């Protein structure tokens, strides 16, 4: 990719991170509980929200490798990315029509939005291996995550102002202001997706006169080939095992942090402010992390980031106040984007160049299924011990196992294996 195409690629992270911050983490969960699920008894709103996330995760896990293989076969990653993006945008806009008691509509739209977000990212991530030289992938990947932090954080700040200042801004109610927030996410996502669709050029693979059915069957055939040929990439397999553990630990910290903070008595306002802090600290730190990875090596920087996560989880055990939560939010901002960006670039270097979509889809499949483990372990430990503090401490195991398995991976050998076993 040339510089213009790279800017377009990075801006897609700026675009879709609005969904991650506003819809997944900050605004929609509260709206779902207080408005859409207001007539649900007991803790059903929280339970239904959990089921919603699980269904979305399962559907993405099943669809991603199939669509990735088809995209590789047809040379149409951009086409698939745009389709998933539009699905996500539509779900955000329609969420404005989910009012009091409309929990089922909100759940359905959230499932569609999550499919659009995660499905689009499968093809977005695969483009990194297609158009960027191996030695530059760590830096470019980090820059993409930094764009995401900046874009998602900026819109979240605007959204918080819209909700908290609804009277001053002339909205008839706080609920209406929140519904308008959902529309801004869709517009933001669509607007800043235009550069990647216009500036990134994709080489098309000739497929003759084959119809949709033949292409779909070819995609399934490639998936079967992936499972049978995976033994050709032993270093990739070892890295994936490591990734499953440490990525699950990272994701569990992300999805459980707010619930954990609320459970020990931290106010909602402080939780949202902490999320904003993470976003804006993460922006420059992710760029810096990418530069350090280029200088000291991606594997070494990934080690450091995972060790910091061990420290974060350990300190979380002793957290008692909003000030402590703010401090941990800053620490998460230091390493969250950088660790994910470096992990993505390492994986891109270990997959065969002609099958990036398929292999990133396979990673999406496996990581989505493995991502159940972290929250499950957290819940089981919390239930058995009766302490969420002990539960949060249990996440240390995911990072330590991930670090140990990462130590076993030879990245240079893995890159050679990918090139030698590359299949057209």
């Amino acid at each position: 990719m040339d510089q213009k195409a790279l800017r377009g690629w990075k801006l897609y992270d700026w675009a879709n991170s609005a969904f991650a911050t506003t819809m997944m983490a900050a605004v929609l969960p509260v709206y779902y509980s207080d408005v859409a699920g207001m007539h649900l008894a007991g803790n059903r709103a929280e339970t239904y929200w959990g089921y919603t996330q699980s269904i979305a995760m399962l559907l993405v896990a099943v669809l991603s490798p199939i669509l990735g293989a088809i995209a590789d076969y047809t040379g149409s990653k951009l086409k698939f990315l745009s389709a998933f993006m539009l699905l996500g945008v539509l779900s955000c806009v329609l969420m404005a029509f989910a009012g009091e008691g409309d929990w089922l509509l909100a759940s359905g739209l959230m499932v569609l939005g999550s499919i659009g977000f995660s499905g689009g990212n499968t093809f977005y991530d695969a483009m990194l291996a297609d158009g960027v030289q191996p030695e530059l992938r760590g830096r470019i990947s980090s820059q993409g995550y930094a764009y995401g932090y900046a874009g998602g954080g900026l819109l979240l700040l605007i959204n918080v102002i819209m909700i908290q200042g609804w009277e001053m801004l002339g909205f008839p109610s706080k609920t209406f202001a929140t519904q308008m927030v959902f529309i801004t996410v869709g517009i933001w996502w669509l607007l800043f997706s235009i550069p990647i669709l216009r500036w990134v050029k994709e080489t098309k693979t000739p497929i003759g006169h084959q119809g949709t059915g033949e292409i779909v069957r070819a995609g399934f055939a490639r998936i079967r080939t992936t499972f049978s040929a995976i033994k050709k990439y032993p270093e990739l397999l070892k890295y994936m095992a490591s990734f499953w553990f440490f990525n699950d630990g990272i994701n569990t910290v992300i999805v459980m942090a707010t619930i954990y903070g609320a459970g020990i008595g931290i106010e909602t306002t402080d939780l949202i402010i902490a999320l904003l802090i993470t976003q804006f600290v993460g922006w420059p730190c992710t760029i810096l992390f990418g530069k350090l990875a280029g200088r000291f090596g991606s594997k070494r920087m990934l080690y450091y980031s995972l060790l910091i996560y061990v420290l974060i989880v350990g300190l979380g055990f002793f957290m008692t106040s909003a000030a402590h939560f703010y401090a941990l939010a800053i620490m998460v901002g230091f390493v969250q984007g950088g660790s994910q960006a470096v992990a993505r670039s390492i994986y891109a270097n270990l997959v065969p160049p002609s099958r990036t979509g398929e292999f990133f889809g396979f990673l999406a499949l496996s990581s989505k299924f493995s991502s159940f483990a972290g929250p499950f372990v957290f819940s089981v430990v919390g239930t058995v011990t009766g302490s969420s503090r002990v539960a949060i401490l249990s996440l240390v195991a995911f990072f330590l196992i991930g670090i140990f398995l990462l130590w076993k991976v030879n990245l240079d050998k893995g890159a050679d294996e990918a090139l030698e076993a590359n299949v057209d």
Side-chain angles (χ1 to χ4, degrees), residues 261-310:
I264 63 174
I266 299 175
E267 298 294 331
T268 301
T269 300
D270 291 318
L271 297 174
I272 294 178
I273 292 174
L275 180 59
L276 282 169
I277 290 173
T278 299
Q279 293 297 119
F280 288 110
V281 170
W283 175 34
C285 287
T286 302
I287 295 177
L288 176 62
F289 203 95
K291 293 180 179 179
L292 293 175
R295 181 174 180 180
F296 298 108
S298 296
K299 188 176 181 180
R300 179 180 296 180
M301 292 307 299
L302 185 54
Y303 277 137
Y304 292 156
S305 69
L306 297 179
L307 288 172
I308 291 175
Y309 265 113
V310 172

Side-chain angles (χ1 to χ4, degrees), residues 15 98 108 143-144 216 270 281 292 340 387 406:
Q143 290 173 356
V216 170
D270 291 318
V281 170
L292 293 175
Q340 291 174 316
S387 170
L406 180 63

Side-chain angles (χ1 to χ4, degrees), residues 97-331:
F97 296 96
E100 294 182 359
D102 293 331
W103 63 269
L104 187 58
L105 174 61
S107 288
L109 291 174
M110 185 58 190
V111 168
L112 293 178
S114 297
I115 291 173
F117 176 76
S118 298
N121 276 344
T122 297
F123 305 104
Y124 170 73
D125 290 345
M127 289 179 187
L128 179 67
D130 286 348
V132 179
Q133 295 176 341
E135 63 272 15
L136 299 177
R137 287 172 186 166
R139 179 166 61 87
I140 298 301
S141 181
S142 296
Q143 290 173 356
Y145 270 101
Y147 270 62
Y149 274 115
L154 178 59
L155 185 61
L156 179 59
L157 178 60
I158 294 171
N159 292 158
V160 170
I161 293 172
M162 290 173 63
I163 295 170
Q164 298 299 324
W166 64 270
E167 289 182 291
M168 180 183 65
L169 295 174
F171 293 119
S173 66
K174 190 173 183 178
T175 295
F176 183 84
T178 306
Q179 291 169 334
M180 293 303 100
V181 160
F182 301 148
I183 294 178
T184 67
V185 174
I187 294 174
W188 184 281
W189 192 349
L190 177 64
L191 179 64
F192 290 105
S193 295
I194 294 174
I196 193 173
L197 301 180
R198 294 190 61 183
W199 298 345
V200 175
K201 306 300 180 184
E202 190 172 25
T203 303
K204 298 295 181 182
T205 303
I207 58 175
H209 300 289
Q210 293 178 325
T212 303
E214 287 81 1
I215 295 173
V216 170
R217 282 193 290 273
F220 275 104
R222 294 200 72 177
I223 290 297
R224 289 193 295 271
T225 303
T226 303
F227 281 104
S228 62
I230 197 72
K231 60 185 179 182
K232 296 180 180 178
Y233 317 100
E235 299 304 316
L236 173 62
L237 278 174
K238 288 190 287 186
Y239 178 72
M240 288 183 68
S242 171
F243 180 87
W244 291 332
F245 279 98
F246 71 71
N247 185 65
D248 195 10
I250 293 172
N251 287 334
T252 305
V253 169
I254 293 172
V255 301
M256 299 305 298
T258 301
I259 295 175
Y260 178 69
I264 63 174
I266 299 175
E267 298 294 331
T268 301
T269 300
D270 291 318
L271 297 174
I272 294 178
I273 292 174
L275 180 59
L276 282 169
I277 290 173
T278 299
Q279 293 297 119
F280 288 110
V281 170
W283 175 34
C285 287
T286 302
I287 295 177
L288 176 62
F289 203 95
K291 293 180 179 179
L292 293 175
R295 181 174 180 180
F296 298 108
S298 296
K299 188 176 181 180
R300 179 180 296 180
M301 292 307 299
L302 185 54
Y303 277 137
Y304 292 156
S305 69
L306 297 179
L307 288 172
I308 291 175
Y309 265 113
V310 172
L311 179 61
I312 289 170
V313 172
L315 292 175
F317 175 83
F318 299 101
M319 182 174 64
T320 59
S321 67
H324 294 159
F325 198 80
Y326 289 149
L328 292 180
I330 292 172
M331 292 180 66

